[in-house]
Amino acid sequence: MHMKKSTKRICSLVLIALAVVLLFILDGHKNEQGMLISILQKSAILAIVAVAMNLLNGFTGLFSLGQAGFMSIGAYVTAILMIPVASLDGVYYMNGVAPGIRSMKEAMEAGPAWLQAAYPFLALIAGGLIAAAFAALIGIPVLRLKSDYLAIATLGFSEIIRAVFSSPQMDTITNGSYGLNKVPTFPKLFGLPVLFTPFIIAAVCIALMVLLINSTYGRAFKAIREDEIAAEAMGVNLFKHKQLSFVISSFFTAISGGLLAMFMRSIEAKTFSITLTYDILLIVVIGGIGSVTGSVLSAFLVTASKEWWLRFFDQPLIIGGWEISLFRTGFRMVVFSVLLMVVVLFYRRGLMGDKEFSWDGLVRLLKKPFARRVPAGVKGGAGHE
C-alpha cells in the first residue's frame, strides 16, 4: 500500500521541522552539547563530499581517488581569503604574506557592508571554481584512463597538490608546512544562528547534485556507468559527460573543503592526506554506491561511530578490581574496523544499496516484522478445501 503524496509531503515537512527544532535546542545548550554539535557539523560537511564522490564513482562509474586534493584546494583558498588582514602577520609570522594577498584583502574589507557579509560565501565559491578549473585541466589526460589507472592518476594528483601546498616555495601564500590558522568560523545565514550554516549549505549542495542526477545529464552519467559503448551508440558524448561529472564533483568537494577549514579554524597539508580520501570512500561504500541518501546517512553514522560512540574503548575498563588490558588508546579503531566488517558481510551493497529513502519503503520496512506469513502450499492466503 502506497502513501498519498500529500501524506508524504506532510511527513517530510514534519521531519524538517523536527530537525530545525533540534538545532535550535542544541544552539541553546552549546556548552553542554559541544561534542554532539561538532559531530553533526562535521558529518554534514563530509556528507557533501561523499555525495560528490558518489556522483562520480557511483553514478558515472569513474573510480577517482582525488577527493582529498580537491578538498585541500577549497580549504586553502577559503582560508586565505577569509583570514582577516589584522591577523595576517600573526599567521605568516615566519616568511610574511604575499603583497598581492594583503592588498586584495584590504580592498575587500574596505568594500560595502553587503560585500563583507557575502565575502565568506564568495570565498567558498572561489575555492570551488578554482578546484573545478584544476579538474577541467587534469581531466583532459586522466579521464581517458579506465578503472584502476584513473584511480592511481587522481590519487597522484592529490598527493602532488598536498606536496605543493606544503613546499617552502609556497610559504608566502599557503604558509608552507606551518599551515594556516585564525580562520574565521561559519558566518550567519538568513539571520539564523551560526550553528545552522553548515547544514543549510550542505542541504543546498546536495539538493543541486540530486537535481543534476535526475536531469538528462544524470541519465547520461548512468548510461556511461552501465555501458560506455551502448551510451556512445545512443549519442552520448563520453568525454564531455565524464568531464562534466568530474568538474562538478570537484567543485562540490572543494566547497566541502572550505567548510572544513571554517569548522577546524586551522588547516595544514597533512590534514588532506590519502587517509582522508579513504575515509570518504568508506562512507560512500557503507552507505551504498549509487545512493545519495545512503551517503548522507553513512556520513553521520561513520563519523559518530569513529569520533564519539566508540570513544569509551580508548579508556581503561576496570571490573571488580580487574583491568581489561584491551581497553586502551587506539582500541576504538579496532572495534570500528570489526563493525565495518560485520556491516559489509550483512549489507554487501551498503546500507541503502543503490536505492534512495522513500516513505513507502520505510512503511514496508516497519510492517515487515508484523507481516502475516502464508503457510507453504497455500495460495492467496486461502485454506485447503
Side-chain angles (χ1 to χ4, degrees):
M1 184 178 179
H2 296 283
M3 295 175 63
K4 295 180 179 179
K5 287 186 178 181
S6 58
T7 306
K8 293 178 184 178
R9 193 175 294 113
I10 292 172
C11 290
S12 299
L13 291 174
V14 169
L15 186 62
I16 294 172
L18 289 175
V20 172
V21 170
L22 173 62
L23 291 179
F24 272 114
I25 293 173
L26 291 176
D27 185 64
H29 298 80
K30 293 179 183 177
N31 297 331
E32 300 89 346
Q33 301 296 335
M35 185 65 177
L36 176 58
I37 292 172
S38 296
I39 293 297
L40 291 176
Q41 288 183 332
K42 187 174 182 180
S43 299
I45 294 169
L46 292 180
I48 300 174
V49 64
V51 174
M53 188 178 194
N54 216 341
L55 169 66
L56 190 61
N57 293 23
F59 289 95
T60 316
L62 300 176
F63 188 30
S64 170
L65 293 177
Q67 278 67 29
F70 292 114
M71 283 187 76
S72 66
I73 294 174
Y76 271 95
V77 171
T78 302
I80 291 169
L81 292 177
M82 285 192 63
I83 295 173
V85 174
S87 302
L88 288 177
D89 292 332
V91 175
Y92 295 89
Y93 59 91
M94 291 296 294
N95 300 286
V97 62
I101 292 178
R102 183 183 293 275
S103 58
M104 176 192 65
K105 293 178 68 62
E106 287 175 347
M108 292 296 294
E109 290 190 9
W114 67 265
L115 180 59
Q116 295 181 33
Y119 190 54
F121 306 104
L122 295 176
L124 281 174
I125 294 173
L129 291 176
I130 292 175
F134 271 96
L137 185 63
I138 70 164
I140 295 173
V142 303
L143 290 179
R144 303 183 189 281
L145 302 173
K146 300 282 181 92
S147 187
D148 298 341
Y149 300 102
L150 175 59
I152 294 170
T154 50
L155 189 61
F157 163 78
S158 177
E159 284 300 288
I160 290 171
I161 289 294
R162 190 167 70 91
V164 168
F165 282 167
S166 60
S167 65
Q169 291 78 11
M170 296 289 287
D171 281 348
T172 59
I173 300 176
T174 65
N175 209 24
S177 59
Y178 299 102
L180 298 171
N181 53 30
K182 299 183 180 180
V183 181
T185 188
F186 305 111
K188 281 191 175 183
L189 190 58
F190 305 128
L192 294 169
V194 173
L195 183 148
F196 280 75
T197 302
F199 299 103
I200 296 173
I201 296 177
V204 171
C205 291
I206 292 171
L208 290 174
M209 284 187 275
V210 169
L211 289 175
L212 175 66
I213 290 169
N214 292 329
S215 69
T216 54
Y217 288 104
R219 289 193 286 273
F221 295 159
K222 295 173 186 177
I224 293 172
R225 176 193 64 189
E226 297 300 328
D227 192 324
E228 289 190 8
I229 297 175
E232 191 172 26
M234 294 174 64
V236 176
N237 187 322
L238 295 183
F239 180 76
K240 172 188 171 183
H241 286 85
K242 286 181 180 181
Q243 182 88 326
L244 181 63
S245 177
F246 191 52
V247 168
I248 292 175
S249 175
S250 302
F251 173 82
F252 287 109
T253 298
I255 294 289
S256 175
L259 290 173
L260 188 63
M262 295 180 187
F263 172 77
M264 297 177 65
R265 305 291 303 276
S266 64
I267 56 171
E268 52 187 6
K270 68 179 182 181
T271 304
F272 304 97
S273 63
I274 299 175
T275 306
L276 178 59
T277 296
Y278 292 158
D279 287 343
I280 299 164
L281 180 61
L282 173 67
I283 290 173
V284 173
V285 171
I286 293 298
I289 297 177
S291 172
V292 173
T293 48
S295 294
V296 174
L297 176 64
S298 179
F300 284 87
L301 291 177
V302 171
T303 304
S305 298
K306 281 182 65 177
E307 302 189 14
W308 188 20
W309 293 338
L310 302 178
R311 276 195 175 274
F312 68 91
F313 285 109
D314 285 347
Q315 305 297 325
L317 180 63
I318 300 176
I319 301 177
W322 293 85
E323 181 178 332
I324 300 179
S325 58
L326 287 176
F327 285 65
R328 59 181 65 185
T329 303
F331 187 64
R332 163 173 53 100
M333 295 309 299
V334 176
V335 177
F336 178 70
S337 301
V338 172
L339 290 176
L340 288 181
M341 292 173 60
V342 172
V343 171
V344 171
L345 286 173
F346 286 94
Y347 298 91
R348 296 187 179 182
R349 300 184 62 191
L351 296 175
M352 297 291 292
D354 58 354
K355 308 295 182 183
E356 300 293 351
F357 171 82
S358 68
W359 290 109
D360 289 330
L362 180 61
V363 170
R364 286 194 298 269
L365 182 64
L366 295 175
K367 285 184 176 181
K368 193 173 181 179
F370 307 100
R372 183 180 177 183
R373 295 186 178 182
V374 179
V378 180
K379 296 182 179 180
H384 292 287
E385 291 294 330

